[in-house]
Amino acid sequence: MKIKWFIILAIIMMLTPISVQAKQQSPMEKLDDISDEALQMVKFHRYEDAKKLLDYFSDQFTSITGNKQPLTMDEVRIVHTSHDEAMEAAVSPNMKYEERINKLTKFRLVIDAISTSHQPLWTEMEDQIMTAFHQAKDAALNGDSAHFHSSFNSFLSLYNVIYPSMKIDVPVENIQRLDARINFIDEYRSQVVKDQKSRQELDALDTDLKNLFANLEEDEADPSLWWVIISTGSIIIMTLSYVGWRKYQGEKGLKKDRSRDLKD
């Protein structure tokens, strides 16, 4: 019975810090929530509400970065640029719905990339981006110029949505390499479709894109996750040690009893 209560107490001790930590939000996490709410408002065509949220975001962001500078100058510039585009999407009288969603999504992904250090949301667009690219690549290999152009345009549109977020999480040399390959393919589209040697750039870009997402997935796990793993392991070791000690004490007691019986 004592062992049972010891295990329950140990589990409570392990879970209590997690529940307390979960209630605490950093300023950037609060801004992340605001950006998500703004995106939801645009999805429901509530553009005026989206504008109010974006105005509120701007005020909060200014107060956070006013006294201290938790972000780099590049990050601040990326946030301002994506916020301006999001605001344009919220107030424009003529912008298409899809373009509004793309601009708000781009803004949302930027704030998430800054506020989180593990598995940023932009990596979840991997399947969409790779599907569009592979459709363009297959069309080029088949000599289907029209399909190549439309598929590559779709790829560029999706890539543009995650591009500012990538610049926050990905080393600059990797970004430059991707830019060079994409710009070459975009500028020499007809040549890529017709010339086998030029199509090798598609293979190289395919590899770079796969590495882009793979490298993010291989990043270190969230520190809080390691804390849970270490804490859980420690509790298990403590519990097993206690059980082993009780078993040893029990066996020791039995030996004493047997010794007394033999003497008697």
Side-chain angles (χ1 to χ4, degrees):
M1 189 67 180
K2 290 183 178 179
I3 295 176
K4 178 181 177 182
W5 282 110
F6 178 80
I7 294 173
I8 292 173
L9 180 61
I11 292 173
I12 291 172
M13 289 173 62
M14 178 184 72
L15 294 179
T16 300
I18 299 175
S19 60
V20 172
Q21 185 181 21
K23 294 179 182 178
Q24 297 176 343
Q25 263 194 326
S26 70
M28 283 308 306
E29 287 172 336
K30 292 178 182 178
L31 293 179
D32 188 42
D33 287 343
I34 298 171
S35 69
D36 182 54
E37 291 175 18
L39 172 59
Q40 300 309 315
M41 291 301 101
V42 169
K43 285 183 177 180
F44 290 106
H45 302 271
R46 295 170 58 178
Y47 303 132
E48 183 60 32
D49 289 333
K51 178 185 179 301
K52 291 178 181 177
L53 283 166
L54 291 170
D55 283 332
Y56 179 61
F57 176 95
S58 183
D59 293 338
Q60 294 299 305
F61 185 73
T62 300
S63 65
I64 290 173
T65 57
N67 298 326
K68 296 182 179 180
Q69 192 72 353
L71 308 178
T72 67
M73 292 303 296
D74 283 340
E75 288 173 337
V76 171
R77 179 180 52 80
I78 291 171
V79 169
H80 281 310
T81 301
S82 61
H83 179 269
D84 289 345
E85 290 188 17
M87 183 62 77
E88 178 190 6
V91 302
S92 174
N94 302 316
M95 188 178 294
K96 294 181 179 179
Y97 176 75
E98 291 78 9
E99 189 175 356
R100 294 180 196 269
I101 293 295
N102 283 346
K103 289 183 180 295
L104 265 295
T105 300
K106 184 189 295 187
F107 172 63
R108 168 78 177 91
L109 295 180
V110 163
I111 306 307
D112 171 79
I114 290 176
S115 64
T116 185
S117 59
H118 179 61
Q119 292 183 336
L121 281 176
W122 66 266
T123 60
E124 295 184 11
M125 292 184 65
E126 176 181 4
D127 288 343
Q128 294 171 266
I129 288 173
M130 295 306 295
T131 296
F133 175 74
H134 286 150
Q135 288 174 348
K137 183 179 176 181
D138 291 342
L141 294 175
N142 295 327
D144 188 343
S145 181
H147 192 196
F148 170 75
H149 286 300
S150 63
S151 296
F152 196 71
N153 286 340
S154 297
F155 162 74
L156 289 178
S157 178
L158 292 168
Y159 184 78
N160 183 58
V161 170
I162 70 168
Y163 187 73
S165 308
M166 285 171 47
K167 293 173 74 173
I168 293 170
D169 291 324
V170 180
V172 63
E173 59 270 16
N174 293 3
I175 296 288
Q176 290 173 346
R177 182 167 57 251
L178 283 165
D179 286 347
R181 296 200 192 283
I182 291 173
N183 290 337
F184 175 86
I185 294 170
D186 190 28
E187 185 173 355
Y188 299 100
R189 293 191 182 204
S190 299
Q191 185 175 327
V192 168
V193 173
K194 297 176 181 178
D195 180 38
Q196 184 176 358
K197 187 174 181 180
S198 297
R199 284 200 297 266
Q200 292 177 357
E201 284 296 317
L202 291 171
D203 292 327
L205 179 56
D206 196 349
T207 300
D208 286 344
L209 288 171
K210 289 176 181 176
N211 289 337
L212 169 71
F213 292 105
N215 289 339
L216 263 295
E217 291 171 1
E218 291 171 2
D219 276 355
E220 292 184 2
D222 189 345
S224 62
L225 177 61
W226 284 114
W227 187 91
V228 172
I229 293 171
I230 293 170
S231 300
T232 304
S234 300
I235 295 299
I236 292 171
I237 292 171
M238 289 170 58
T239 304
L240 291 176
S241 299
Y242 177 76
V243 171
W245 178 78
R246 286 299 303 270
K247 184 178 179 182
Y248 169 74
Q249 291 294 324
E251 291 176 349
K252 188 177 180 182
L254 286 174
K255 287 180 180 179
K256 288 182 178 179
D257 293 339
R258 289 173 184 170
S259 298
R260 289 171 185 169
D261 291 342
L262 288 173
K263 289 178 181 180
D264 292 341

